[in-house]
Amino acid sequence: MKQSGFFDVEERLARLSGLGDQLEAFSRTVDFEVFRPDLEQALAYSDGSKGGRPPFDPVLMFKILMIQTLNNLSDERTEYLINDRLSFMRFLGLGLSDRVPDAKTVWLFRERLTQAGAIERLFGRFDATLRNAGYLPMSGQILDATLVAAPKQRNTNAEKADLREGRIPEDWQDKPAKLSHKDRHARWTLKFTKAKRQDDGTMPSSDLAIPFFGYKSHISIDRKFRFIRKWKTTDAAASDGARLREGLLDKTNTASSVWADTAYRSKANEDFMEKQGFVSKVHRKKPHLKPMPQHIQKSNAGKSVIRSRVEHVFADQKSQMGLFVRTIGITRATMRIGLANIVYNMRRFLFLERMNASA
């Protein structure tokens, strides 16, 4: 078999560019160096005066997390594919003879950022980049939430009751290995979905309720550019509506209108938005045991045209990135969902920049 040389690698990379390497587009459009100050502050590495192998460059490691999030990869699979794929190596600036971080190094890097609570600062750093590029929050904002699955827990009813009350089950307290594998923050909830038409053409009288375990991702996007501007992670059983008053509204948006579905319609939310200077475009609920008035039905339909845009964000994260929480605990789940939000904004940024360049 012919031994590959330098020019063979360059030819293969040129072919990848011609086929549309998304990571190469990331490198051209996103300045990853803007994340360096926040990464270095969060990691707080020593100056190396005590010796030992120097750590990998923090920006390189952060780009590995971007690859991992973009492709829904485990740490072990990430290590393998970096060694295997030329496009990954080019994105990271690694040569064939360079040392590649192993799975444990990737885990430790992400864990260090997680424990430092760095994901909010990193998200804010890229949001500032978007604003500097002219993508200001405009034309109002849209709120919604989606469920994010996590590995199911096999707990007894007594253990579930303790967890709901915020207690550690007694049987777990003297078993640290077992406790480390138990997710005490994820919760069960019911996911309602529209019932499908049956074989005889009839429709069931009620929708389907499917048990779901995991977390919930709450976001607010701007109507104009559809970037995620505010976000929050909770357990799956948390109420959508109450999160509106917990920092999901963006006061820097150039317009005051707020769109959301009926889960966000409550007197507390309406009073809060009025006091904060927002204009509610939240869907109205159907009156109890009464038909929906025609004017409200028409108003909701008009709002849905705008509100439905937020569904594209979740569709992108779940279909393209395979958003799923593999880790244990809400702190790590927040890191996972925060990374997915940053990657979504990067992908949206690439799309808008490409559209502007072709206009």
Side-chain angles (χ1 to χ4, degrees):
M1 187 171 90
K2 178 183 176 183
Q3 185 175 3
S4 62
F6 173 78
F7 292 106
D8 296 316
V9 173
E10 288 295 305
E11 182 180 348
R12 181 63 61 84
L13 288 173
R15 181 178 296 181
L16 289 174
S17 299
L19 293 172
D21 182 1
Q22 183 177 207
L23 292 177
E24 187 181 28
F26 268 51
S27 296
R28 288 196 307 266
T29 310
V30 178
D31 180 12
F32 283 92
E33 284 296 319
V34 301
F35 296 104
R36 186 178 294 279
D38 297 302
L39 291 171
E40 291 180 342
Q41 180 181 354
L43 296 167
Y45 287 141
S46 65
D47 58 7
S49 59
K50 295 183 180 180
R53 176 179 287 184
F56 284 96
D57 179 71
V59 175
L60 179 146
M61 294 299 299
F62 183 67
K63 291 169 79 173
I64 289 178
L65 297 188
M66 294 296 100
I67 289 177
Q68 197 173 44
T69 304
L70 188 63
N71 297 278
N72 188 27
L73 302 175
S74 65
D75 294 336
E76 290 74 17
R77 188 65 177 167
T78 300
E79 177 188 355
Y80 173 80
L81 289 177
I82 292 174
N83 282 282
D84 181 66
R85 290 191 180 179
L86 290 174
S87 60
F88 284 13
M89 285 188 278
R90 175 168 64 180
F91 177 64
L92 298 172
L94 296 174
L96 293 174
S97 60
D98 290 330
R99 186 165 62 101
V100 173
D102 59 21
K104 183 66 173 180
T105 301
V106 174
W107 184 90
L108 287 171
F109 176 80
R110 186 178 58 252
E111 186 70 6
R112 198 156 185 166
L113 291 182
T114 301
Q115 298 308 319
I119 189 60
E120 287 84 3
R121 295 198 302 273
L122 294 169
F123 180 89
R125 180 69 65 177
F126 189 65
D127 186 64
T129 298
L130 296 174
R131 292 168 187 259
N132 291 336
Y135 297 104
L136 299 175
M138 299 174 69
S139 305
Q141 54 198 300
I142 310 170
L143 276 64
D144 204 359
T146 190
L147 295 169
V148 182
K152 295 180 177 65
Q153 303 284 293
R154 309 299 179 184
N155 302 325
T156 66
N157 290 334
E159 291 170 341
K160 292 177 183 178
D162 285 337
L163 293 174
R164 282 193 294 269
E165 296 297 326
R167 299 189 300 266
I168 299 176
E170 184 177 352
D171 185 49
W172 298 1
Q173 296 179 12
D174 57 350
K175 298 178 180 178
K178 181 176 182 178
L179 184 60
S180 67
H181 287 85
K182 289 293 186 179
D183 195 329
R184 306 196 302 274
H185 302 119
R187 292 290 183 270
W188 284 98
T189 190
L190 290 177
K191 179 180 180 180
F192 293 93
T193 184
K194 293 291 182 182
K196 295 181 180 180
R197 188 177 299 276
Q198 297 182 359
D199 295 337
D200 59 3
T202 60
M203 289 294 293
S205 59
S206 61
D207 292 337
L208 301 178
I210 303 173
F212 185 94
F213 183 80
Y215 294 92
K216 189 175 287 187
S217 170
H218 308 261
I219 64 170
S220 171
I221 68 170
D222 67 280
R223 179 187 173 190
K224 173 71 173 179
F225 298 113
R226 307 183 197 180
F227 286 113
I228 299 172
R229 302 294 182 170
K230 299 288 184 179
W231 62 281
K232 187 179 183 69
T233 301
T234 66
D235 64 77
S239 166
D240 293 358
R243 309 288 84 76
L244 180 144
R245 307 188 300 277
E246 297 179 358
L248 272 187
L249 293 180
D250 184 8
K251 295 183 178 180
T252 66
N253 198 293
T254 59
S256 57
S257 297
V258 177
W259 285 266
D261 62 27
T262 55
Y264 296 85
R265 169 67 69 169
S266 68
K267 187 178 186 305
N269 282 350
E270 295 299 305
D271 291 343
F272 178 83
M273 285 189 283
E274 184 178 3
K275 185 177 180 180
Q276 296 295 322
F278 294 102
V279 177
S280 174
K281 300 288 186 180
V282 179
H283 280 47
R284 292 187 177 274
K285 298 179 180 179
K286 176 183 174 296
H288 184 59
L289 299 178
K290 294 181 180 179
M292 176 75 82
Q294 190 67 29
H295 70 283
I296 294 180
Q297 187 174 353
K298 186 175 181 180
S299 174
N300 282 350
K303 293 172 183 176
S304 292
V305 175
I306 296 173
R307 193 209 64 81
S308 61
R309 296 173 185 175
V310 73
E311 302 292 348
H312 296 278
V313 179
F314 297 135
D316 182 89
Q317 290 182 323
K318 291 188 175 182
S319 63
Q320 299 296 321
M321 303 180 214
L323 182 57
F324 177 82
V325 174
R326 287 188 172 90
T327 52
I328 301 295
I330 195 167
T331 304
R332 295 188 180 103
T334 299
M335 182 70 180
R336 174 72 177 94
I337 292 172
L339 287 170
N341 291 341
I342 293 175
V343 170
Y344 166 80
N345 278 355
M346 287 183 178
R347 283 167 51 85
R348 183 69 182 167
F349 182 49
L350 260 62
F351 173 78
L352 293 176
E353 288 291 280
R354 192 181 303 117
M355 292 292 290
N356 291 336
S358 61

